[in-house]
Amino acid sequence: IFLMRKALDRPPRRAHEVSQSAFAFLFSELIQYSQTRVNTVEELQAKLEDAGVGIGRRVLELACLREKSSRRETRVLGILQFIHSTLWKMLFGNSADSLEKSVEHDDEFMIIERAPMVNAFISGAPCNCAAFVAGIVRGVLDGAQFPAHVSAHEHEDNRTVILIKFAAEVMEREKRQA
Amino acid sequence: QKAETEMSAVRLNRAGDTAFAKVEKVSSELFSLTYGAVVMQVIKDYEEVDATNAQLEKMGYNIGVRLVDEFLAKAQVSACQSFQDTAEVIAKVGFKMFLGVNAEVVKTTGDEFTLQLSDNPLAEFVELPEQYAKLEYSGMLCGVLRGALEMVQMRVTCTLVRDVLWGDDVTEIRVVLQEMLNEEYHDDED
């Protein structure tokens, strides 16, 4: 199902913010609704992640529509920087705190956000809602032709770590371009 | 009496602006896109337009019954004297405080009013494909109003009557008062 304006031909909206509360109510209702249709916490996380994937694909299109140039990211670092700054600013107000490369695995990268994210909106959430953010990242990567496995991990200090493991074909393409 | 109405409109606008200025905010794009994801999930689960419309309204109702407490706590408004007062408060303070947009009250009679939105964050970036031409995409707002008003003892019906997604110039919700509910106090034994 494709619900998106093909071109931003309408004048841009005057306001660019809504209350966090409106988002929290909406997100909470999404969780409640999803809970009625699943049996396990893992299934709930998967549903939230799926919701995120759709968002990721659409926000990528939106960002591309806005940039006048039709330059497409073809390098891993390019797409990661896009996610770490452009995407994060659009959705969360600021660039993510850091972008790191794994020392052990060539195909693994991490986006780290120190400020509490989605989970802060929902107190007593029944699951790791950062799965939603992981889904958004995966949607962007899928849409940009960088298939990857993406997972989110929340640490005690409210840090969220989004772990990205690129598919072999991405790393091979990367080597060819080097 | 006109001057009085204008004064109170100014006061309500200010109350709305103040309330919105004080709250934490998030990107309206995050909100719009998340709402889109919710709609798509409901469509996927219910498939058929009428059932989807009903489910979105119901989810809105669930939100409305919880949202009203926050509204009453944060909005600096005095008790409404009439249904029309209620309309103005919803339009100028409620919509502003939560969605950051101004709504207008149009077409009022004693027991009904219509809210007009020229700007609707729920429907940003959206175009309805042919097979969903009758989708009440922003129907969740109707449910929110219904739920919130029920908590303040008003049973209403809310209907999306115009929508920019349907090709109209504006989005409009008609709210009709069905009955005032009396608070009933039950003994614990009941």
Side-chain angles (χ1 to χ4, degrees), chain B residues 78-90 108-113 149 152 154 177 180:
Chain B
S78 44
C80 293
Q81 301 300 322
S82 68
F83 197 55
Q84 295 312 317
D85 271 358
T86 306
E88 292 291 341
V89 167
I90 290 172
T108 68
T109 67
D111 279 350
E112 65 177 82
F113 61 86
L149 288 170
V152 293
M154 288 177 246
L177 180 65
M180 299 295 294

Coordinates of all heavy atoms in Angstrom, one line a residue, chain B residues 78-90 108-113 149 152 154 177 180:
Chain B
S78 N -11.2 28.1 32.0 CA -12.3 27.9 33.0 C -13.4 27.0 32.5 O -13.4 26.7 31.3 CB -12.9 29.3 33.4 OG -13.1 30.0 32.3
A79 N -14.2 26.6 33.3 CA -15.3 25.6 32.9 C -16.1 26.2 31.8 O -16.4 27.4 31.7 CB -16.2 25.3 34.1
C80 N -16.5 25.3 30.9 CA -17.3 25.8 29.7 C -18.8 26.0 30.2 O -19.3 25.2 30.9 CB -17.3 24.7 28.6 SG -15.7 24.6 27.9
Q81 N -19.3 27.1 29.7 CA -20.7 27.4 30.1 C -21.7 26.8 29.1 O -22.9 26.6 29.4 CB -20.9 28.9 30.1 CG -20.0 29.7 31.1 CD -20.2 29.2 32.5 OE1 -21.4 28.9 32.9 NE2 -19.1 29.0 33.3
S82 N -21.3 26.5 27.9 CA -22.2 26.0 26.9 C -21.4 25.1 25.9 O -20.2 25.0 26.0 CB -22.7 27.2 26.1 OG -21.7 27.8 25.3
F83 N -22.2 24.4 25.1 CA -21.6 23.5 24.1 C -20.8 24.3 23.2 O -19.7 23.9 22.7 CB -22.7 22.8 23.4 CG -22.2 21.6 22.7 CD1 -21.5 20.6 23.3 CD2 -22.5 21.4 21.3 CE1 -21.0 19.5 22.6 CE2 -22.1 20.3 20.6 CZ -21.3 19.3 21.3
Q84 N -21.2 25.6 22.9 CA -20.4 26.4 22.0 C -19.1 26.8 22.6 O -18.1 26.9 21.9 CB -21.2 27.7 21.6 CG -22.5 27.3 20.8 CD -22.2 26.3 19.6 OE1 -21.2 26.5 18.9 NE2 -23.1 25.3 19.5
D85 N -19.1 27.1 23.9 CA -17.8 27.3 24.6 C -16.9 26.2 24.4 O -15.7 26.3 24.2 CB -18.1 27.5 26.1 CG -18.4 28.9 26.5 OD1 -18.4 29.8 25.6 OD2 -18.7 29.1 27.7
T86 N -17.5 25.0 24.6 CA -16.7 23.7 24.5 C -16.0 23.7 23.1 O -14.8 23.4 23.0 CB -17.6 22.5 24.7 OG1 -18.3 22.6 25.9 CG2 -16.8 21.2 24.7
A87 N -16.8 24.0 22.1 CA -16.3 24.0 20.8 C -15.1 24.9 20.6 O -14.0 24.6 20.1 CB -17.4 24.5 19.8
E88 N -15.2 26.1 21.2 CA -14.1 27.1 21.0 C -12.9 26.7 21.8 O -11.8 26.8 21.3 CB -14.6 28.5 21.6 CG -15.6 29.2 20.7 CD -15.1 29.6 19.4 OE1 -13.9 29.8 19.2 OE2 -16.0 29.8 18.5
V89 N -13.1 26.1 23.0 CA -11.9 25.6 23.8 C -11.2 24.5 23.0 O -10.0 24.4 23.0 CB -12.4 25.2 25.2 CG1 -11.3 24.4 25.9 CG2 -12.8 26.4 26.0
I90 N -12.0 23.6 22.5 CA -11.4 22.5 21.7 C -10.6 23.0 20.5 O -9.4 22.6 20.3 CB -12.4 21.5 21.2 CG1 -13.1 20.7 22.3 CG2 -11.8 20.5 20.2 CD1 -14.3 19.9 21.9
T108 N -22.1 26.7 13.6 CA -22.6 26.3 14.9 C -24.1 26.5 15.0 O -24.7 27.4 14.5 CB -21.9 27.0 16.0 OG1 -22.4 28.4 16.0 CG2 -20.4 27.0 15.9
T109 N -24.7 25.5 15.7 CA -26.1 25.7 16.1 C -26.1 25.2 17.6 O -25.0 24.9 18.1 CB -27.1 24.8 15.4 OG1 -26.8 23.4 15.7 CG2 -27.0 25.0 13.9
G110 N -27.2 25.2 18.2 CA -27.3 24.9 19.7 C -26.6 23.6 20.0 O -25.7 23.5 20.9
D111 N -26.8 22.5 19.3 CA -26.3 21.2 19.7 C -25.3 20.6 18.8 O -25.0 19.5 18.8 CB -27.5 20.2 19.7 CG -28.3 20.3 21.0 OD1 -27.8 21.1 21.9 OD2 -29.4 19.7 21.1
E112 N -24.8 21.5 17.9 CA -23.7 20.9 17.1 C -22.8 22.0 16.6 O -23.1 23.2 16.6 CB -24.2 20.2 15.9 CG -25.0 20.9 14.8 CD -25.4 20.0 13.7 OE1 -26.4 19.3 13.8 OE2 -24.7 20.0 12.6
F113 N -21.5 21.6 16.3 CA -20.6 22.6 15.7 C -19.7 21.8 14.8 O -19.6 20.6 14.8 CB -19.8 23.3 16.8 CG -18.9 22.4 17.7 CD1 -17.7 22.0 17.3 CD2 -19.4 21.9 18.9 CE1 -16.9 21.2 18.1 CE2 -18.7 21.1 19.7 CZ -17.4 20.7 19.3
L149 N -14.8 14.0 25.1 CA -16.1 14.7 25.5 C -16.9 13.8 26.4 O -17.6 14.2 27.3 CB -16.9 15.1 24.3 CG -16.2 16.4 23.6 CD1 -16.9 16.6 22.3 CD2 -16.3 17.6 24.5
V152 N -16.1 14.3 29.9 CA -16.7 15.4 30.6 C -18.2 15.4 30.4 O -18.9 16.5 30.3 CB -16.1 16.8 30.1 CG1 -14.6 16.8 30.6 CG2 -16.1 16.9 28.6
M154 N -20.4 14.4 28.1 CA -21.2 14.7 26.9 C -21.0 13.6 25.9 O -19.9 13.2 25.6 CB -20.6 16.0 26.2 CG -20.9 17.3 27.0 SD -20.2 18.7 26.1 CE -19.0 19.2 27.4
L177 N -24.0 17.0 19.7 CA -24.3 16.6 21.0 C -25.5 15.7 21.0 O -26.6 16.0 20.5 CB -24.6 17.8 21.9 CG -24.9 17.5 23.4 CD1 -23.7 16.9 24.1 CD2 -25.3 18.8 24.1
M180 N -26.5 14.9 27.3 CA -25.6 15.2 28.5 C -25.7 14.0 29.4 O -26.8 13.5 29.6 CB -26.1 16.4 29.3 CG -26.1 17.7 28.4 SD -24.4 18.2 27.9 CE -23.7 18.6 29.5

